[in-house]
Amino acid sequence: MSDVRVAGTGLTPFGNSPERTGRDLFAEASITAFEASGVPRDDVEAVLYGNFMGELSEHQGHQGPLMAEAAGVRAPATRYESACASSGTAVREAVKRIRNGENDVLLVGGAERMTNLGTAGATEALAIAADDLWEVRAGVTFPGAYALMAQAYFDEFGGEHEDLAHIAVKNHANALNNDKAQYQRAIEVSDVLEAPPVSEPLGLYDACPISDGAAALVLTSESYAEEHDLEAPVAITGTGQGGDRMALHDREHLARSPAARAAGEEAYADAGVDAGDVDLAEVHDCFTIAEVLALEALDLEPIGEGISAARDGRTTADGETPINLSGGLKAKGHPVGATGASQIAEVTDLLAGEHPNSEHVDGATTGVAHNAGGTVASATVHVLEVVA
Amino acid sequence: MSDAESVADAGFDEWLEAAADGEAYFLECANGHGSLPPRRVCPDCGSTDLAESELPDTGNIQTFTVTHVPTPAFEEDAPYANAIADFGSVGITGQVIGVDPGDVETGMTVELEIAISETTAERVIGFRPA
């Protein structure tokens, strides 16, 4: 089975640019990815594109062919929608296609335009990732759903808001050097604790921002990379996906993410690694509590102990396993359809020594990207390794 | 919510109506798995033999949050407490009513009561401390 090489990565800055269309954002990311890869557009056999709220934010469905066109690619194109895990699922599909010999070169990515909706509009749009009849109509927002999980975690395992605050502080610190990040600004624990409440126990600084942005990856087969002498030392060596019941109240666990655990176990087994091999990870920290649940689901922290990982320095830039060196969704931003592909881009660049924060993971060979949809009714996990 | 005013949601609207009349139910398969409508298949075992069973009179709050930043549909209602409560073999998400949101606690015993949104006048699933 062929390794899947990441030949090129491209990200727009993530942030507040309400005037930019999705097609403009994805065009920019894809130009960067193609230039980095050295792969001609004519060799691309398909475009796999992630997007969540295009109908609401841009009145635009059928975005696959639109984005292929924006990227200057003449090839069949499909949009993947799995809430905030949209481009994670697109990457997974691309990996499977290259492995099974169906394709040698794919353009994969995602984009989201969100800030033009305003805070209330974006909150409403994000909420539809939950069960409309049984959650949204009861007033559950996206932050509210994670707050329900945070309170359940506190009740089951202990911990308090101050523990979560250290996660936000860490991820903001990591974003200081990332010029693509939405917030390149340090914060302190007191900032988090004193911020206005959104859905208690979560406040404004426990939440990722509303963002515009795009991510693109040029993925190739190992044989294509070798034949064309590509500079592509990093491969996606493991892929996994998990699912769970849609509504939180139907789940077996309110303070755990079984879908992410299933995705992680599958991805680790696929790559032939275990959690102990992981040198760094980008995890889906849409809210501070989400990082805790992700670390535990990926076995990077024991159940019930992820809450203290940032506070005690285990996941900081100079800790044992740095988490979210990009700044994470919290500080880098979360243009939802772009996030999964952007995490793969960040891990690739970190492992290749081409990331502003690569110095913190010198010699790292194995990274993980964890992308969650909704309240983790969907999750994808990918393992990336330096192979060349 | 203009669509919701004119178009019914089969299964869900009937359930709200029944709950408002004090006759809330859940769906139960032959293997005893409980779930909420509308549903044709038990999500636990795949059974298509689902029957309506009476919902227990009280439930227990499993977790809760007080939301200060709502969607536009609940703008006038905020701040409000959302909770997940277990009623026997089913969990339900609702708004805790009849109590200050700051006084809601995990483990609280509640009764189901259909409330009305101050913002939209739509029906909302409510939990009132028993």
Side-chain angles (χ1 to χ4, degrees), chain A residues 255-345:
Chain A
R256 300 188 197 179
S257 296
R261 174 163 294 277
E265 286 175 352
E266 185 180 5
Y268 287 153
D270 191 25
V273 303
D274 60 37
D277 297 315
V278 176
D279 297 311
L280 63 98
E282 290 288 312
V283 305
H284 197 98
D285 61 323
C286 47
F287 299 93
T288 46
I289 185 65
E291 180 164 313
V292 177
L293 301 178
L295 294 179
E296 295 181 7
L298 294 171
D299 266 344
L300 297 174
E301 285 285 328
I303 298 289
E305 294 181 26
I307 188 81
S308 62
R311 187 194 67 202
D312 293 348
R314 297 193 295 277
T315 52
T316 51
D318 297 318
E320 298 156 38
T321 310
I323 301 296
N324 287 330
L325 279 170
S326 68
L329 283 53
K330 172 71 191 89
K332 187 181 74 169
H334 182 29
V336 291
T339 291
S342 81
Q343 293 172 316
I344 304 278

Side-chain angles (χ1 to χ4, degrees), chain A residues 10 26-36 41 70-71 216:
Chain A
F26 190 66
E28 180 185 331
S30 68
I31 287 168
T32 308
F34 277 120
E35 285 177 353
R41 286 176 171 75

Side-chain angles (χ1 to χ4, degrees), chain A residues 120 123-124 127 133-141 144 147-148 151-152 155 197-200 245 248-250 254, chain B residues 9 12 15 36-38 43-44 62-69 71-72 74 80 82 84 91-93 95 106 125:
Chain A
T123 302
E124 185 173 34
L133 295 180
W134 292 100
E135 294 182 307
V136 180
R137 293 193 198 185
V140 175
T141 62
L148 290 168
Q151 185 61 49
D155 286 340
V198 175
S199 274
E200 296 177 54
R245 301 281 289 276
L248 278 177
H249 61 230
D250 285 329
L254 289 170
Chain B
D9 290 306
F12 180 72
W15 187 91
L36 295 169
D44 286 311
Q62 302 298 306
T63 186
F64 67 96
T65 177
V66 179
T67 288
H68 297 261
V69 183
T71 66
F74 289 94
Y80 55 85
N82 272 134
I84 293 174
I92 301 177
T93 303
Q95 284 187 15
T106 299
I125 295 169

